[in-house]
Amino acid sequence: MHRLKSLGLATLLIATSTAPTLAADVVGSADASFVNPQPSGATVTGVGTNAFTYGDGNGFGTGPNSLTFAGVGFSTAFETPFKVGTLSYFNGTTAVGTAPDTIDFDLATTFTNPALGLVQTIFTLGLVITPNGGVDPDADADYVNLPGTFTPSIFNIGGTNYTVKLVGFENVVGDGFLASSGTQLHVREGLSATADLFAEVTSDTSGTIGGVPEPSTWAMMILGFSGVGFMAYRRRNQSSALGVA
């Protein structure tokens, strides 16, 4: 059993090491701010910044819900998910009816190569506040929901139109979990979590949101491509041997 596990791990490491490295089509950095909470009468702070709180937490001892985004630099190929930053999410206890239902996530991607400069795309995030039953912590978890559609900001590179779209959350750390193929980040009541947010520079400018493949899916894809390459190599060797004979 241990030998089989070792062989499987070795195969995965070989496949990973031999996988082709994709050239960077675009290079730049990402940042974001939270704008336009709806409904407008909700209790909020930090609108227009990267640190946003919502809901009236007075009297509950935990403080309001909060979202903070920290952007990062990127260097990526087209049609390839890449990290734009990390979202920190605190699920506070707040009074019913004081939190907004949505917040616009204004993603600012600054492209240095090619020199497109600033491209801003707004995604309307759903802010779902669940009633606290006190029995199932997962059922009590509030969550952030990526939109199914958005209005793309279209730019042209080399004669092809592209847009930046969000594709999902990954790498949750803390008291949170993913649902709905990575488009919902849930955090348990009174607790915090962080998750990386992924985007894609894509020629699909239809304005629909997709999902990030799970790590296991990437591994299976790599192994599949490795297996196809090995079979092709074996067939070539067999054909050469027959020709010499």
Side-chain angles (χ1 to χ4, degrees), residues 13-112:
L13 291 174
I14 292 170
T16 304
S17 64
T18 58
T21 301
L22 298 177
D25 294 312
V26 289
V27 179
S29 61
D31 201 356
S33 59
F34 298 97
V35 297
N36 191 33
Q38 294 295 325
S40 57
T43 303
V44 298
T45 67
V47 174
T49 74
N50 69 333
F52 171 67
T53 72
Y54 57 101
D56 183 357
N58 290 331
F60 296 103
T62 64
N65 295 279
S66 68
L67 295 172
T68 303
F69 182 77
V72 297
F74 58 84
S75 178
T76 183
F78 296 134
E79 317 295 345
T80 304
F82 65 95
K83 178 180 172 180
V84 290
T86 300
L87 187 72
S88 300
Y89 181 12
F90 171 70
N91 178 4
T93 303
T94 59
V96 174
T98 62
D101 298 321
T102 63
I103 184 71
D104 286 347
F105 182 75
D106 186 355
L107 178 64
T109 43
T110 301
F111 293 91
T112 56

Side-chain angles (χ1 to χ4, degrees), residues 197-234:
L197 184 57
F198 281 75
E200 194 173 75
V201 176
T202 176
S203 59
D204 175 12
T205 58
S206 62
T208 58
I209 299 294
V212 178
E214 296 292 332
S216 58
T217 303
W218 285 117
M220 292 302 294
M221 289 171 62
I222 292 169
L223 286 173
F225 291 141
S226 177
V228 169
F230 174 76
M231 292 303 295
Y233 172 80
R234 185 176 180 183

Side-chain angles (χ1 to χ4, degrees), residues 128-161:
V128 181
I129 306 295
T130 61
N132 297 326
V135 177
D136 182 355
D138 286 355
D140 292 347
D142 294 348
Y143 64 93
V144 176
N145 185 34
L146 293 185
T149 61
F150 68 104
T151 302
S153 297
I154 299 173
F155 48 91
N156 191 279
I157 300 176
T160 301
N161 286 335

Side-chain angles (χ1 to χ4, degrees), residues 125-192:
L125 306 181
L127 304 176
V128 181
I129 306 295
T130 61
N132 297 326
V135 177
D136 182 355
D138 286 355
D140 292 347
D142 294 348
Y143 64 93
V144 176
N145 185 34
L146 293 185
T149 61
F150 68 104
T151 302
S153 297
I154 299 173
F155 48 91
N156 191 279
I157 300 176
T160 301
N161 286 335
Y162 292 95
T163 191
V164 177
K165 71 174 181 179
L166 298 180
V167 292
F169 298 104
E170 278 289 344
N171 308 321
V172 179
V173 177
D175 292 289
F177 56 93
L178 299 181
S180 184
S181 302
T183 62
Q184 293 180 2
L185 172 61
H186 296 240
V187 175
R188 297 173 181 90
E189 188 66 28
L191 300 171
S192 302

